């Protein structure tokens, strides 16, 4: 489970080879310093920066970019190094923002080579600072930890490096900015560039093998990044669930080696030797997937390029569609942010002009004042109209793309009303992701972006059945919300059963009061459940005990390096536990077991889906706060509680429900049940 750090918090690092992902709303410089046990940096050779991007255990980007991936191999760090500090700075060329307070808060995540997040940190509270120490990886009693630092410096890189006791701080800071200035023409901006015809060139977030992390390739057109597979072993491109990080938002390769012990040596010891470690997949010869096939006819001169389903990079059509949906999500977030920013500027400008008119007694009244007011309002209207025209142009392009992409989506990504479900067959392998609903913004209400979460699930789901007023103005009472919540949970569980191969996904249900019989009927009557829904306190305790025991056994086997030593007959498939009407039927022991499953279960294939009203468990006080935070909150009605990882828009979420009167869910579950029978014998 990802640790969301606040300033000063630390978290243990479970592995040595890591990737540090950085995302910001503008091109920034990323680097790192190696410090001794006192945090002292002994020389310029202990600093990785765009001019010297690779050290024996560390590699950074060669230029400024909106997205960076820094690779770290802590096993290769020399004994003299006790601290690896990650630095971020704004380019000092004068063409962009000069302080972090003028840009979106940078987001930093520490991930494994498989893309699984270990810890993340959003750097907030920056104002006039132009350089910041984001994170530090530090060695304590032989083990490595990560700490969220967030220390900013108004004096830029020079002040930052001076604070780390580097003698040549000013010279090195000047050299870094010069190196960056030479590469800014090739930097990766945010949002992605649009060509003159309005077509969008999307790239996967993972750097190509052999190229700079977060930088454009040296060959090809400047400003472009070669496509790469998110499955390449350099890192799995795992976009965070919007709003969840939506947030949201929101995105491998490591390296120092041998140096003497600075505590005993009379002089400083710099990391020496070694080069970038090759993390390319051993069974894959090319690090870059093939570009999308040119299936669309050329657009007429002066017209936007016609959208094509699967025009993103990827090794398969499924992967290309996944990346394309993610690109649409990002494009809509950024174009809406640009529109809102333009409107805010127009409003502030008009207010300033009106204040100037009112502050002068000579122009406050009379024809001169009225003319000034009308001129201010006219300029405001013109600015807003220009911004709206640009937004409408982008929305029209995105709407055309959505009209092409939606019918081409595979079953795992498709709505329940998509014809692809009528041709459903039980799959042979799990897909990359699963659709849990749709997202949209008020400025582009006609565009629905699929909310896709990666599989296997990295966190449980919470269907919030609390009394709530939906965005359409209707107010559902508590009984109606419970019914809608459980129907939403059944629809999500049916999707999970449908996209997994036969026998690889098992669903359990706890319904202590038996109040969900009607909503659970599709699962019960088709026979896809592992057992009938558990009733009462005894049934609840039995299911929780069995799943807790399974988590314990798998954890012991994995920690002991003997995954094949599990007891015979143990179900090794992914497990989903649906809990209805929590906390009814739960005693203190059952609550603790549920928390244990939420914390430890996802890592060993046990997932929670809770249908609950948080207010009904208020009697437990803060005891359950970690439980709610560990789950992805969804709602059975439209609600704007999710945020993206780039600019923090509040996105309206709509659950993926079966159309009224449709039999598609039962038809799909019937096929799933038929395919499971040989496995249940």
């Amino acid at each position: 489970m990802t640790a969301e750090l606040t300033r000063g918090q630390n978290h243990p690092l479970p592995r040595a080879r890591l990737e540090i992902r950085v995302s910001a709303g503008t091109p920034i410089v990323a680097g790192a310093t190696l410090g001794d046990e006192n945090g002292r940096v002994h020389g310029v050779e202990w600093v990785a920066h765009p001019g010297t991007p690779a050290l024996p255990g560390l590699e950074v980007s060669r230029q400024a970019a909106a997205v960076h991936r820094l690779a770290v191999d802590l096993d290769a760090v020399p004994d003299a190094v006790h601290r690896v500090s990650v630095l971020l700075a704004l380019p000092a060329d004068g063409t962009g923002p000069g302080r972090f307070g003028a840009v979106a808060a940078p987001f930093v995540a520490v991930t494994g080579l498989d893309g699984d997040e270990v810890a993340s940190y959003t750097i907030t509270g920056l104002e006039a600072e132009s350089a910041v120490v984001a994170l530090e990886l530090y060695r304590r009693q032989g083990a490595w930890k990560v700490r969220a630092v967030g220390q900013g410096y108004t004096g830029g890189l020079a002040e930052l490096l001076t604070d780390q006791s580097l003698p040549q701080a000013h010279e090195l800071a000047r050299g870094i900015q010069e190196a960056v200035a030479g590469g800014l023409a090739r930097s990766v901006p945010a949002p992605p560039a649009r060509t003159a015809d309005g077509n969008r060139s999307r790239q996967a977030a993972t750097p190509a093998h052999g190229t700079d992390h977060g930088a454009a390739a040296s060959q090809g057109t400047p400003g472009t990044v070669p496509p790469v597979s998110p499955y390449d072993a350099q890192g799995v491109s795992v976009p965070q669930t919007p709003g969840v990080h939506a947030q949201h938002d929101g995105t491998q390769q490591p390296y120092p080696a041998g140096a003497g012990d600075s505590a005993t040596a009379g002089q400083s010891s710099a990391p020496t030797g070694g080069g970038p470690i090759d993390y390319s997949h051993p069974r894959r010869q090319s690090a870059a997937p093939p570009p999308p096939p040119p299936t669309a006819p050329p657009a007429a001169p002066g017209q936007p390029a016609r959208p094509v389903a699967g025009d993103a990079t990827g090794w398969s059509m499924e992967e290309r569609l996944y990346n394309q949906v993610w690109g649409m999500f990002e494009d809509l977030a950024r174009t809406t942010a640009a529109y809102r920013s333009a409107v805010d500027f127009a409003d502030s400008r008009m207010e300033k002009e009106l204040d100037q008119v009112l502050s002068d007694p000579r122009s406050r009244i009379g024809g001169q004042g009225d003319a000034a007011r009308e001129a201010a309002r006219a300029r405001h209207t013109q600015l807003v109209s220009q911004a709206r025209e640009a937004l409408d142009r982008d929305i029209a392009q995105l709407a055309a793309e959505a009209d092409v992409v939606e019918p081409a989506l595979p079953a795992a990504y498709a709505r329940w009303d998509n014809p692809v479900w009528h041709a459903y067959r039980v799959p042979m392998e799990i897909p990359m992701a699963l659709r849990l609903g749709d997202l949209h913004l008020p400025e582009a209400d006609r565009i629905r972006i699929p909310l896709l979460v990666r599989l296997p699930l990295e966190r449980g789901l919470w269907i919030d059945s609390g009394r709530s007023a939906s965005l359409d103005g209707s107010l559902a009472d508590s009984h109606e919300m419970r019914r809608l919540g459980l129907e939403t949970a059944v629809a999500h569980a049916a999707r999970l059963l449908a996209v997994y191969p036969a026998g690889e996904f098992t669903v359990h249900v706890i319904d202590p009061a038996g109040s969900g019989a009607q909503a659970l009927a599709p699962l019960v009557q088709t026979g896809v459940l592992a057992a009938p829904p558990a009733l009462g306190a005894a049934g609840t305790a039995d299911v929780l005990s069995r799943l807790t025991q399974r988590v314990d056994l798998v954890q012991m086997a994995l920690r002991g390096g003997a995954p094949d030593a599990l007891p015979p007959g143990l179900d090794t498939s992914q497990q989903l536990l649906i809990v209805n009407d929590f906390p009814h039927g739960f005693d203190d022991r059952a609550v603790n077991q549920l928390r244990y499953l939420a914390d430890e279960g996802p890592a060993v294939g046990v997932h929670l889906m809770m249908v609950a009203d948080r207010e009904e468990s208020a009697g437990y006080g803060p005891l359950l706060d970690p439980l709610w935070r560990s789950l992805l909150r969804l709602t059975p009605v439209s609600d704007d509680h999710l945020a993206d990882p780039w600019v923090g828009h509040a996105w309206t979420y709509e659950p993926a429900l079966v159309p009224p009167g449709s039999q598609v869910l039962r038809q799909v579950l019937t096929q799933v049940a038929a395919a499971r029978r040989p496995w249940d014998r």
Side-chain angles (χ1 to χ4, degrees), residues 35 77 102 117 157 162 205 227 257 262 321 462 495 555 606:
V77 172
E117 280 193 11
L157 275 174
T162 300
S262 60
L321 287 169
W462 167 29
R495 272 182 180 271
Q555 281 186 339
V606 177

Side-chain angles (χ1 to χ4, degrees), residues 183-546:
L184 274 177
R186 302 183 294 113
S187 66
V188 183
R194 289 177 180 268
T195 59
D197 61 3
N199 189 25
R200 185 169 51 255
S201 175
R202 294 200 186 97
Q203 296 86 20
T206 309
H209 173 62
T211 65
D212 298 335
H213 297 283
S218 58
Q219 66 271 18
T221 306
T224 62
V225 179
V228 228
S229 168
Y231 289 132
D232 186 50
Q234 292 187 10
V236 181
S237 174
V238 187
Q240 294 303 320
T241 302
V244 178
H245 297 32
Q247 43 327 226
H248 247 155
D249 83 111
T251 113
Q252 280 131 330
Q253 253 165 319
Y255 327 61
D261 187 348
S262 60
T264 58
Q267 57 188 13
S268 64
S269 302
T272 60
I277 297 175
D278 183 2
Y279 287 105
S280 59
H281 196 286
R283 295 190 299 276
R284 185 166 291 151
Q285 300 304 315
S286 171
T295 56
Q303 297 295 321
R306 299 178 184 178
V308 181
D311 75 342
T313 58
W315 290 94
S316 65
M317 188 62 174
E318 179 194 21
E319 186 178 341
R320 291 198 293 270
L321 287 169
Y322 175 84
N323 289 332
Q324 186 172 12
V325 168
W326 184 251
M328 292 168 60
F329 178 43
E330 182 174 353
D331 286 352
L332 183 55
R334 296 198 187 280
T335 192
T336 303
Y339 169 73
R340 293 180 181 179
S341 177
V343 172
D344 289 344
F345 170 76
D347 291 342
S348 63
R349 175 173 174 174
M350 182 178 69
E351 290 177 4
K352 182 178 180 180
E353 292 176 348
L354 292 177
D355 288 343
Q356 290 176 346
V357 172
L358 295 175
S359 64
D360 189 351
R362 294 170 298 179
S363 61
R364 189 176 301 163
I365 58 177
Q368 183 180 359
D370 293 339
R373 293 185 187 92
E374 289 301 321
R377 294 189 181 100
R379 283 190 288 270
H380 175 271
T381 302
Q382 181 184 11
L383 289 173
V384 173
S385 298
Q386 291 175 347
R388 186 72 215 190
E389 288 176 4
L391 176 67
D392 289 342
R393 183 173 59 251
D394 291 343
I395 287 177
Q397 179 73 9
L398 283 168
E401 186 171 13
D403 291 341
V404 172
V405 170
E406 187 67 43
L409 294 177
Y413 300 176
R415 296 192 187 100
W416 282 110
D417 58 0
N418 193 309
V420 71
W421 286 107
H422 295 285
Y424 169 77
R425 294 292 182 270
V426 177
M428 300 299 293
E429 57 183 18
I430 68 170
M432 287 181 60
L434 182 80
R435 185 174 191 158
L436 292 181
D438 294 326
L439 300 170
H440 67 89
L441 292 171
E443 290 85 353
D445 190 63
R446 57 178 171 153
I447 299 178
R448 297 295 191 269
I449 304 295
L451 171 58
L452 303 179
V453 297
R454 291 296 294 264
L455 292 179
L457 295 174
E458 297 179 356
R459 60 194 301 194
L461 304 177
W462 167 29
I463 314 300
D464 189 355
S465 61
R467 184 171 179 173
S468 170
S470 63
L471 296 181
D472 61 4
S474 61
L475 183 65
D477 60 25
S478 58
H479 295 291
E480 180 69 7
M481 287 298 293
R482 288 194 189 98
R483 182 186 64 81
L484 293 174
L486 191 52
E487 289 180 353
T488 302
V490 169
H492 293 331
R495 272 182 180 271
L496 285 163
L497 283 164
V499 302
Y500 271 83
E504 293 191 16
F505 198 85
T506 304
V507 177
H508 310 266
V509 176
I510 291 178
D511 185 21
S515 59
Q518 182 178 355
L520 292 170
L523 298 177
V524 175
Q525 294 173 4
T526 54
V528 295
L529 295 180
L535 302 176
T540 299
D542 178 62
V543 173
L544 291 174
S545 177
R546 284 188 284 111

Side-chain angles (χ1 to χ4, degrees), residues 88-101:
L88 307 179
L90 294 169
D93 60 343
T95 61
R99 60 188 184 90
F100 276 109

